[in-house]
Amino acid sequence: MSDTTTTRTYSTDAKARDVTSRESERDERQREEEQFCPECSGQLVHDSEHGETVCRECGLVVEDTVVDRGPEWRAFDSAERDSKSRVGAPTTKMMHDKGLSTNIGWQNKDAYGKSLSPRQREQMQRLRTWNERFRTRDSKERNLKQALGEIDRMASALGLPENVRETASVIYRRALNDDLLPGRSIEGVATASLYAAARMAGTPRSLDELEKVSRVDKMELTRTYRYIVRELKLEIKPADPEQYVPRFASELGLSDEAERQARQLLRGAKETGVHSGKSPVGLAAAAVYAAALLTNEKVTQSEVSTVADISEVTIRNRYKELLEVQDGNLFA
């Protein structure tokens, strides 16, 4: 009886090995067939740029919807590979905790989208409250959280891009680490940081525009700005009037020709030194108004004054000077 059982076991194992060997041979043949063209038996190559598998000999496209399962970025060393790995949300300087802590959403719904019961909503609200308390461990973090919130609010009101907000957050962090805040308000330092970041990024905003969205007056803003720039040794170039032209022209609906003409007027003023000692915002607004007149586009001084937030008298005085410079260049 035992000999019969042993024989049957051996025969079963032999059959299993035979089936396995046949499957492996079939898979190997299939892989070999996939490497050659079905038409001319030429070698197939994979074109990763277009996601296609084509024949090297006859050019037949065997497959045209190849999915690239690799990352869309390239890394040339381990540090670069680690920095680009996708293992969570990216860190950001625009949040006091750099975005590393947990945030409980405000929606009172569960994972299936169903509304929570009143008791569950009450529990979630208590969790949110304690979560906010735990996210700020000390007064320094509470200070930073308030300041970064102010920077984000003012940047949104002024339409500043994300890179400006990031730079402003870095400037404020440096001021906080260097103990530059004692004796100055959080709002004042935050506004000065945003003003400096906008100028460094080439998208400046005037002091009057910042005063409108800030909770500090212009005098405190200018005093804090000079202090921050001096103590942190920020390298900020004087504001260029040409940097204001695209925004003014866009808000007034002017053509590209008018914007180009305004830039030419400002360049002529810089060559002759007329811009020295004058407000860049006033010069930019006057150049836009003068360019609109030269290109026969209907724009009033009142409209330019509203967009640039300066008086009409300044526009009249500056645009006459710009036109005189242009006439002098034409007859020179």
Side-chain angles (χ1 to χ4, degrees), residues 13 22 32 54 112 138 160 194 198 207 223 231 247 254-255 287 305 328 332:
D13 294 342
R22 284 201 301 269
E32 291 178 355
V54 299
Y112 300 98
D138 50 24
L160 292 171
L194 184 62
L207 293 172
R223 185 170 60 247
E231 294 297 324
R247 182 162 59 93
L254 299 179
S255 62
S305 173

Side-chain angles (χ1 to χ4, degrees), residues 176-191:
L176 183 62
N177 293 332
D178 293 351
D179 293 329
L180 302 182
L181 267 70
R184 291 164 184 83
S185 65
I186 296 175
E187 292 83 2
V189 179
T191 308

Side-chain angles (χ1 to χ4, degrees), residues 21 29 33 35 48 90 94 119 125 135 142 147 179 218 227 263 268 270 277 292 307 309 329:
S21 63
R29 266 198 317 272
E33 290 176 358
Q35 294 176 358
S48 58
M94 294 185 292
R119 181 178 178 81
Q125 186 58 39
R135 289 179 68 182
R142 286 194 295 271
D179 293 329
K218 187 190 294 186
Y227 177 73
R263 291 180 181 275
K270 281 189 269 187
V307 168
D309 197 17
N329 292 335

